[in-house]
Amino acid sequence: MSHREAKIIDPVPGAYNLGDYDHTRRTFRWDNAADGLKFKSTGKLNIAYETIDRHVEDGYGDKTALHYANGEEKRSYTFQEIKEKSDHYARILKENGIRKGDRVFVFLPKTPECYIAILSIIKVGAIAGPLFEAFMEDAVRDRINDCNGTLLITDRDMVERVPREDIPSLKTILFAEDIEASPVENDAGDLVEWMDPEDGMLIHYTSGSTGKPKGVLHAHRVITHQYQSGRWVLDIKEDDIYWCTSHPGWVTGSVYGLFAPWLNRATIVVQGGRFKAENWYQLIAELKVTIWYSAPTAFRMLLSQGEVIRNYDLSSLRHILSVGEPLNPEVIYWAWEQLGVRIHDTWWMTETGAHLIVNLPGEKIKPGSMGRPFPGVEVGILDEDGNEVSRGAVGQLAIRTPWPGLMKEIWGNKDKFDSYFKYEGWYISGDLAYQDAEDYVFFQSRDDDMINSAGERIGPFEVESKLIEHEAIQEAGVIGKPDTIRGEIVKAFIVLREGFEQSEALLEEIRVFVKSNLAAHVAPREIEVMEELPKTTISGKILRRELKQREIEKEGTSLLSR
Ligand code: PRX
């Protein structure tokens, strides 16, 4: 079924936090948003304070803030406990000399300590840099070096993957387990640093089609956007049990795994361990999860498990959301049939700080569409001169600047930052899309060579650079090959150096080489040896698009219908 013919699904009647989209969109002003937050009346701003401490001050200290589950291990914390723990971490950071604006990294698995560490860094005015737990040495090194991180919170296992001698700025490494156990020498004085809305709070590294990953810096002003989207799009109410499956090393895991739900005082679920359909369903049933935010690859994996879903009581689920990659209509129909709940697709990027295009619980869904603009957000579909195209035509997906969530800068790279704003008044996403007469936006593809595998952004350049460090490889071109479960998989085309013969063992060695230096998810799942790679005649640049086109033709698949 093509996107245009998809079957519309009407909302389930209910009292949603955003009742009237059209009216709200007409009247909404960012200045009036987030009125429930303290800084609106006190003028004192710190997103970590608003996320946790505020609820304790308002009398919700005893409410459960977090349920943690990892196999047999189960723990729960109240808002009071999260506040006390993050205060404790914050004092230890201060004792270690951390001050406003310092970059402090967190390299921990998906545990409560990971969330607490991030909050504590922001509480003392520093910038938190959460790292994905599966990163290997090169990925860790490149990120901390790029913004001269001075302190790292990790644990005794993961520190094995921190090449300390190659990170000169890194003065201190603290283990979460030691922080927990260490007494605070001086607990006098104010802990929370009050920040300017333009001060940095979070840095996420993300890939593009060229160069190494870039540090996208969010400022404290992002709070308005994160709070308001948590209220309207996640639709959080007092009794909700909310589970976002992403690790805080990715922007979905920090913004919608930590900040937006806690700004709205939800009880969040943190699950450790690897993906397994049975465990996920079991967790939803056991904790009576009501709101669930995940990604198309995960939903497709669950769908492919078929009947397993019938063994669990998932009736607590009232709202499901998706992000990060195209959500196929089939997946929406599956959830609708199995659970009687729609999956609400959302679109945004690391750079945008929060949701921009959304499906709201009270509005109809057109499967295949990412939804409509969030109130206060103006979408433009632009041609190559930066002019808006006619309705229904495909063009560059752009957003009218500014909005509160928009990144403050790309760390140390003004040219890269400026490249997002090449048309006056617009942010260019790098995605291609069209918008229908009712303002619904339909994703088409990326406008560059960036790969999206299982919702994760992968820069081909980063993988190619690593590949050619291998002694057998002379040249490499890396693309995203369409895949029914993961959306795309990383495929590498390589030319071997003289004296090297193609063999299964060699290709496996190459795969492991990338995996053990960078991260498992960027390692090519397929490697094809070629005599030569297609190149532009003038500059001799590898033509990734040609490699991709060949692959698509070979598979008989089309990018648009994947
Ligand atoms: O190509 C779009 C895709 O993911 C990119 C942003 O990736 P990242 O910064 O890692 O953020 C992911 C989650 C916030 C976009 O440029 N993308 C994101 N959401 C969708 C999507 N593609 C299709 N449909 C979506 N809903």
Side-chain angles (χ1 to χ4, degrees), residues 332-349:
I332 301 180
Y333 302 139
W334 163 78
W336 183 238
E337 276 156 25
Q338 296 291 334
L339 303 168
V341 185
R342 312 181 305 174
I343 301 183
H344 299 74
D345 196 9
T346 57
W347 178 90
W348 61 296
M349 303 175 67

Side-chain angles (χ1 to χ4, degrees), residues 206 251-252 322-327 345-351 370 429-431 443 446 450 452 455-457:
T206 189
V251 78
T252 301
S322 172
V323 70
E325 35 167 343
L327 179 67
D345 196 9
T346 57
W347 178 90
W348 61 296
M349 303 175 67
T350 308
E351 293 88 334
M370 309 191 289
S429 68
D431 287 358
F443 178 83
R446 279 293 297 179
M450 194 184 85
N452 187 336
E456 275 152 16
R457 248 165 105 160

Side-chain angles (χ1 to χ4, degrees), residues 296-368:
T297 294
F299 294 127
R300 287 189 290 258
M301 286 178 170
L302 293 171
L303 190 157
S304 71
Q305 305 275 316
E307 295 295 298
V308 180
I309 193 170
R310 301 223 170 264
N311 302 337
Y312 298 88
D313 176 5
L314 306 178
S315 58
S316 58
L317 283 174
R318 71 165 179 90
H319 189 32
I320 310 182
L321 304 104
S322 172
V323 70
E325 35 167 343
L327 179 67
N328 341 39
E330 295 85 314
V331 178
I332 301 180
Y333 302 139
W334 163 78
W336 183 238
E337 276 156 25
Q338 296 291 334
L339 303 168
V341 185
R342 312 181 305 174
I343 301 183
H344 299 74
D345 196 9
T346 57
W347 178 90
W348 61 296
M349 303 175 67
T350 308
E351 293 88 334
T352 74
H355 293 144
L356 292 179
I357 297 173
V358 296
N359 280 289
L360 290 158
E363 300 293 319
K364 72 181 176 199
I365 282 180
K366 298 184 179 183

Side-chain angles (χ1 to χ4, degrees), residues 219-286:
H220 279 260
R221 64 169 147 76
V222 76
I223 190 172
T224 305
H225 197 167
Q226 295 181 349
Y227 169 81
Q228 201 63 43
S229 58
R231 188 168 150 67
W232 284 343
V233 186
L234 305 180
D235 194 49
I236 291 169
K237 310 233 172 65
E238 196 61 49
D239 294 331
D240 278 311
I241 308 287
Y242 170 90
W243 181 29
C244 170
T245 57
S246 177
H247 184 278
W250 305 121
V251 78
T252 301
S254 66
V255 174
Y256 292 104
L258 191 167
F259 294 105
W262 269 348
L263 283 167
N264 285 280
R265 216 190 304 124
T267 298
I268 68 165
V269 174
V270 173
Q271 188 241 17
R274 292 183 72 88
F275 172 85
K276 193 163 171 246
E278 282 86 347
N279 294 352
W280 277 32
Y281 290 143
Q282 175 69 29
L283 192 69
I284 293 171
E286 208 174 287

